[in-house]
Amino acid sequence: MQIKRGDQIINLVGQPLAVGDALPNVELLNQDRQAVQLGDYINGVSVISIVPDINTKTCSIQTSRFNQLANEKDYPIITLSNNQPEDIVNWCSSNDVDMVYLSDLNGQFSQASGLLMAEYDKLARTVMVVDDDGVIKYIEIVADMRDEPDYGKVLEAADRL
């Protein structure tokens, strides 16, 4: 699959996850650098917001928006990126954000999900809604990495479950 950033074509490595696929239960790092399993964070319907780099404008906007929504909704919203856990802690602290944010520093999710951007060695901007069994019910792989996801469609999908 290909996405883009402006006029630049970006190739995803492998076959990206799709509706009906099980969310890979891989090892990630929490903000304390402790190894955790992604599946341990799926408690009922969950939204997973994936950003390439928290220290960029669009990723910051997306994460801040989902943080606001997490305070309004009854389901968890988990953010995932390739950033160092220290970067995540610093960003959350400077933006007054308190949310579940996991690091795929070891690349297990990137490889298992097919969402690794070959040209950047980072995750592609993606949002998923999974049910309580960890099955993907909605996924948006944002076509242009400069764009934000469609928040309305994400919430609509999560609210239906």
Side-chain angles (χ1 to χ4, degrees):
M1 177 177 184
Q2 293 181 326
I3 56 176
K4 63 182 185 168
R5 184 166 193 255
D7 293 333
Q8 178 191 13
I9 299 297
I10 300 169
N11 297 288
L12 298 185
V13 178
Q15 181 65 35
L17 292 171
V19 170
D21 289 344
L23 186 68
N25 188 26
V26 296
E27 185 176 283
L28 301 166
L29 297 176
N30 67 15
Q31 293 176 352
D32 297 322
R33 278 197 166 271
Q34 296 171 323
V36 296
Q37 295 295 311
L38 179 55
D40 293 343
Y41 290 85
I42 306 302
N43 298 313
V45 173
S46 302
V47 173
I48 300 173
S49 171
I50 300 168
V51 296
D53 184 345
I54 191 58
N55 293 311
T56 60
K57 180 181 176 184
T58 307
C59 295
S60 182
I61 292 168
Q62 177 178 333
T63 304
S64 294
R65 180 72 178 124
F66 276 120
N67 180 62
Q68 291 171 332
L69 294 170
N71 294 324
E72 301 169 8
K73 297 296 181 179
D74 293 331
Y75 41 80
I77 299 178
I78 302 158
T79 299
L80 181 63
S81 78
N82 297 106
N83 288 93
Q84 295 275 348
E86 294 82 7
D87 292 338
I88 295 165
V89 169
N90 292 338
W91 184 90
C92 288
S93 175
S94 65
N95 289 277
D96 197 29
V97 168
D98 182 22
M99 67 184 307
V100 176
Y101 201 129
L102 301 172
S103 170
D104 186 37
L105 192 59
N106 63 17
Q108 286 186 21
F109 184 81
S110 299
Q111 292 298 322
S113 67
L115 297 172
L116 180 67
M117 295 185 289
E119 290 79 1
Y120 291 95
D121 200 32
K122 294 179 186 256
L123 284 161
R125 185 178 318 288
T126 306
V127 182
M128 296 182 230
V129 177
V130 298
D131 66 12
D132 53 353
D133 294 320
V135 175
I136 299 169
K137 297 298 184 181
Y138 171 89
I139 186 167
E140 177 188 2
I141 302 170
V142 179
D144 188 320
M145 288 297 99
R146 301 173 305 172
D147 295 336
E148 295 174 60
D150 187 330
Y151 301 106
K153 286 184 180 178
V154 174
L155 298 177
E156 181 181 305
D159 289 343
R160 278 197 315 261
L161 298 174

